[in-house]
Amino acid sequence: MSSYPVSHDVLPVDEPLLTIPEVSERLGVVVTKVMDLLGEHKLIAVQRQGVRYIPEAFLNRGEKKASTNRFVPGVIALLADGGYSDEEIIAYLFTEDETLPGRPVDALHGYLAREVMRRAQAMGL
């Protein structure tokens, strides 16, 4: 059993996921650094068919060397501090919200990132 938290898979089957070694390679860090990010609850892994994955949407897009999206750990922390489980956090981030519009996780990659942070803070109250 792993020492880092793993969420039940509540994602659509077509959601792009990366294994921990794939995230490690994309970030240019050792696997233990990715495991540290999971252990520190800066990322959340989901388990699908016995394999642990990290949603690709947690990484920044279009960069030579990938990095984690700087807003993801903050939203995770705000919602976790508000009592949300990892499954609830994943469900919130990956569920369409017509008021954004789109999914909160996608909004974290653009000008609506601060709005998602504000909403996450309000949800935790």
Side-chain angles (χ1 to χ4, degrees):
M1 191 75 181
S2 173
S3 63
Y4 59 89
V6 178
S7 170
H8 295 290
D9 186 7
V10 294
L11 295 171
V13 294
D14 61 345
E15 183 64 40
L17 302 173
L18 301 169
T19 64
I20 291 170
E22 289 172 331
V23 172
S24 167
E25 184 178 320
R26 290 221 188 154
L27 296 178
V29 300
V30 294
V31 169
T32 53
K33 176 61 179 166
V34 177
M35 293 169 90
D36 287 346
L37 292 171
L38 291 165
E40 295 165 0
H41 213 218
K42 293 183 178 182
L43 294 175
I44 298 173
V46 296
Q47 187 164 325
R48 183 174 282 176
Q49 298 175 346
V51 178
R52 291 171 176 98
Y53 295 96
I54 296 173
E56 187 175 38
F58 286 171
L59 303 181
N60 284 327
R61 303 173 183 137
E63 296 181 3
K64 280 186 174 181
K65 180 182 173 189
S67 62
T68 57
N69 178 283
R70 68 184 182 129
F71 296 105
V72 168
V75 170
I76 291 171
L78 286 168
L79 293 172
D81 290 350
Y84 287 80
S85 70
D86 286 350
E87 289 84 8
E88 291 169 324
I89 294 169
I90 292 285
Y92 166 71
L93 287 172
F94 288 88
T95 299
E96 291 285 329
D97 181 341
E98 60 190 45
T99 65
L100 280 174
R103 304 181 310 172
V105 73
D106 297 324
L108 293 175
H109 293 275
Y111 68 93
L112 291 171
R114 299 241 182 250
E115 176 61 16
V116 173
M117 295 290 288
R118 186 197 64 73
R119 291 179 186 196
Q121 185 174 23
M123 289 170 60
L125 297 178

